[in-house]
Structures are given as structure tokens and as C-alpha cells.
Amino acid sequence: MSIFNQKSKFKVKTEVRAVKKTLPEKPKPKSTSAPPSTSRITSSVRASPSTTSTPRASPLPPSARKSQNGSSRYLDPSSALKVPSSSTSSNSRKRPRASHSPASPSFDSDSDSDSASDDDWQDQLDPRKRLKRLEQLRRHDPNRRVRHPKMWKGDRESEGELLPIIHAVEVASLSEKCQPVMGLSRDEVGVRLRYPGSNHKEKYELVKGKDKIEGAQDILTVVRHVASIYLSEEEARPFLDQNSGIYRRLERCKNLNDGKGFKEALKEYSESLFALQRKGVIAKNLETMRGVPQELVAFILDQVYDRTVAPKVELLAKYENGTDNVYGELLHPFISDIFERTQLTSDMVFVDLGSGVGNVVLQAALEIGCESWGCEMMENACNLADAQKKEFAARCRLWGVAPGKVYLERGDFRKNEPILESLKRADVVLVNNQAFTSQLNDNLVNMFLDLKIGCKIVSLKTFVHDNKLAENDVASSILDVEHLTYPEEYVSWTGAAGTYCISTRK
């Protein structure tokens, strides 16, 4: 008999062991110098946001966002649109992003949640952590005055003027094929939302639809910002108490599909805020602020974008192949990092060459409070930028915050006289030149000769030739260049990290 057919005389006990091993996460790309942290606004805002800049002789570009919320201008001409992430608000609708079929832009479906920010709302709104969190989010500028000079202070003599805002109900309603939520009937969905800077309320319908503002979530975010930013710890307690606060009740009713309970809690919020306005509490608190938290900046910008650009975002899918006229956005977090790195303050001048729909120009005016200029050549983007500027002005009054002066110019920034004059005073210039032709980049270098010493130029590509022996390399003689890396989810056309430059005029 073969030895292979014999039974073994030795009994061996066998056992199977399961071994779990955690693989280390793949490290994310780091910037040459780590960018300052920002509140979601990777969001962003969705996140906001918040963001405009387009390449061309007169550039063009959140939100979305994800107010969210940046500068526009680089996009591969073969790309189309897709929803980007914005900032604290994940309510941003459609924002341009690269895709492979320009003829038929696709959009990410709205996620039903403001996930992370809402899941840990108790941690965020804990009174013991609240002030510390706000201090981290708020820029301190001793020269900044946040309170809007025309905000309603609660005085009985003036009930406040009606503001020309685009109400949420105008872009998300039953008439727009949205459906009622939280068990409400079609005749019960109408509500009005009070803001801290005005006696004028915004009209909402508690409905939901694809690529539409979700009224209930928008209202929750407004209530959270009002209570956590505009009020002291004691004043905010009725709104933010983790067990019985108005915000908690609104959230619970939303989760339980209790529409009537949601409307009752919203009514109590409105009455409580109105009482504080009447006492002058809101105006007094805003008077002491010297900066606007980035999460509020991103949300306001996303509100503006969602009511003006998002409903017509398909207009930005058009481009001229082989030219400087393409569209892409730098999102709110990226722009906030740029402001930090360049140390932009309210007494400075900011210029966006290729400002698209105006996202970055508006963000600079709101977040920093500085004089803010933009120039765009593409007609559709210019029209949307004008719409954003109008809504932005009205919505800032609704929130009671004062932005810096905003100037949006049309045409070729190489020939626009107001822009050429503003460049002579500029402290920070943004040029999203990723898709610019070499000729246009050379033209820009000649324009930089008029910049004052110390002016910062932020660009996606360097203006200094790689060949240091190149003749007539004016850029290397007038610019000191710092090469940096931005992290993932900072631009609308890709989720990957990338590089950019900050050049200083010698």
C-alpha cells in the first residue's frame, strides 16, 4: 500500500484564526506650507462656495454651496458642469465642474443631509465650546465694522423697508414641481423666515425637489447661524438648549416628519428673534463684531448663488474651444485660505481678473470687508454676476452685515480703464490662469509692471518662465514666486489636489 494512502498515526488539532489588520490610510497631499484651517466650507459649502474666476482676456468663473462658495476660471474646455461641494451649507444646488460631455452637463444629486455638520450639532452648539469655535472661525480686523448701516434696529418708528430679495419660494415651490415634506398638505407648506438684520421675512415652502433648495434644511441652518453667531451664550440658550431649544425641536420635527410641530417651533423662533430685535440686542452685538465667521460667509454666498446662478447654471456650460473663454470655480475654502495667506484686510483693495459670475469678488467683500473688483468677458457670466451682485446687496442687509464696496466690470481686462486704474491701488490680485494662453499670460506680466511694490498675485500657473535664460523674461525680474499646493476638493473641476503660486511684486 502506498504510504500516501495510509492514515496518519498522529492526530493534529487544527484551528482557523482570523487576523484583522488595519491598513494605514493613504496620506493626503500636503501643501508646501500648510493652509490655514477653515470651517467646512468645504462645502462645502458643499461650500459655499464660494468662487469665481474664468480664463480669458476678461475672466470668468460657488456655488455652489457646495455657498457655497470661490473664484472661477479654469476648466478644461471639454468639461461641463457638476455640483461642487460648498461650505457650511450643503444646500448648494448646481455648480460648474469638469465632465466629458459639454453638450449634456450632469449634476450630482443633492444629498439629503448636511451630514457631518448636523450629526454633531450638539457638539458644535455646546455653549462651553461655542465661543471658542467662533473665535477660530472669525477673522479679527480692528478696522472692520460688521453691522450694516441700514440694518433694522427694532425701532418702532420704522418697521423696516421691504428688500428686493429673491425669495426661496420663487425657485423651490409646488409650482416648480416640488413635493410637500413632513406630512404637510399642499395648502400647509407656506412659511416665512425672519432674519436678524431686517423686519422683512423670506417666503419659503416646505418642499423638496431635485436640484432645488430644501426649505426645511435651509431654515434650520439660518436658525443655527443666528443663534450661534448673533447672540451671547445666555441669549442663545432658548434657541440652542440641547434638550428643549428651538433648534433641537425644529430638527426633531424634521426627522420625525412632524410638519405642524416644525411650523410651531418656527413661529416661536420668529417671535423670540423679533423680541431681541425690538430690544436692540442684535444691533448691539453686531456693533462689537470685527469679522464674519467663514461658515456664515459661505452660507450667505450659497443662498445668493442658489437663487440667481443655480437656476440658470446651464448657461455656463457654453465655451469657446481653443480660447481663453472657459469656466471653472475656486471654492470657498480655497479663497479663504488665499485671503489668509495674503493677509488681506478691510482697508485693502482686491482685484479678480476673470471674475466669472462674481463669486470671489463677493466673498472678498463679505469675508474681508475690502474694496473688491472683478472683470469678466463672457456675456452669460456677466449677466449672472450682475444678478448675484443685486441679490448679494439685499441679502447682506437681511443678515445685517456690511460688505465692502463691489465693482463688477465687463469686457477685456487688458483694456478696461476702471480695472487698469484699480490695479495701481491693488494689494491682492487673483488670476485663475490655468487655461489662459501663453499670449494672455505675457500680456498680464506687462500689466503687472503697474502694480505697487508688495502687491500679491495669486495664480494657478506661474508667470515666470521655466527657462531662466529666456530672453525678455520680465516676470522673473519683477516677481518673487512662492509655489504652493492646495488640498482636495478646493476647485470645481476636479476633486484632486493641485498647485498654485503667490507672486510678490518686487
Side-chain angles (χ1 to χ4, degrees), residues 89-106:
S89 144
S90 50
N91 238 1
S92 299
R93 301 312 109 189
K94 310 169 185 175
R95 278 182 182 267
R97 183 170 179 179
S99 102
H100 296 293
S101 53
S104 55
S106 63

Side-chain angles (χ1 to χ4, degrees), residues 284-357:
K284 179 182 177 182
N285 290 348
L286 276 177
E287 191 64 42
T288 65
M289 291 174 58
R290 292 295 176 266
V292 183
Q294 291 173 8
E295 61 176 356
L296 178 58
V297 170
F299 181 70
I300 293 175
L301 294 176
D302 281 344
Q303 282 194 313
V304 173
Y305 190 100
D306 289 346
R307 289 156 178 76
T308 55
V309 180
K312 302 176 182 179
V313 74
E314 66 279 353
L315 296 176
L316 300 178
K318 299 178 181 179
Y319 60 85
E320 298 176 39
N321 197 11
T323 72
D324 297 305
N325 299 328
V326 292
Y327 184 91
E329 296 179 358
L330 310 185
L331 303 180
H332 300 320
F334 193 0
I335 299 306
S336 292
D337 281 0
I338 288 172
F339 293 160
E340 291 286 352
R341 290 185 181 282
T342 57
Q343 300 182 353
L344 187 64
T345 57
S346 60
D347 55 355
M348 293 181 176
V349 177
F350 173 80
V351 180
D352 183 0
L353 298 178
S355 51
V357 297

Side-chain angles (χ1 to χ4, degrees), residues 173-174 177-190 205-209 257:
S173 64
L174 295 174
K177 300 182 180 180
C178 295
Q179 297 300 315
V181 296
M182 296 186 288
L184 295 171
S185 63
R186 296 179 68 85
D187 59 354
E188 294 176 320
V189 295
E205 284 188 2
L206 299 176
V207 296
K208 187 175 181 180
N257 287 320

Side-chain angles (χ1 to χ4, degrees), residues 376-419:
E376 179 54 53
M377 177 177 282
M378 293 174 67
E379 182 179 2
N380 287 343
C382 288
N383 293 338
L384 292 175
D386 287 342
Q388 281 217 101
K389 180 182 176 182
K390 180 180 178 181
E391 178 69 12
F392 174 76
R395 205 152 281 273
C396 282
R397 288 189 62 182
L398 202 62
W399 283 93
V401 295
K405 293 182 179 179
V406 173
Y407 303 91
L408 295 175
E409 295 289 324
R410 292 177 178 239
D412 188 333
F413 54 61
R414 295 171 295 185
K415 303 174 183 178
N416 184 284
E417 286 301 325
I419 287 296

Side-chain angles (χ1 to χ4, degrees), residues 97-122:
R97 183 170 179 179
S99 102
H100 296 293
S101 53
S104 55
S106 63
F107 303 96
D108 290 337
S109 59
D110 286 342
S111 86
D112 208 18
S113 66
D114 264 21
S115 54
S117 62
D118 287 328
D119 291 339
D120 61 349
W121 72 272
Q122 289 185 331

Side-chain angles (χ1 to χ4, degrees), residues 6 25 29 65 120 135 140 198 235 268 295 338 342 355 382 458 471 479 497:
Q6 296 182 30
E25 293 184 1
R65 133 79 64 188
D120 61 349
E135 289 304 311
H140 287 278
S198 173
E235 294 160 353
E268 184 176 339
E295 61 176 356
I338 288 172
T342 57
S355 51
C382 288
V458 182
E471 296 182 8
L479 301 176

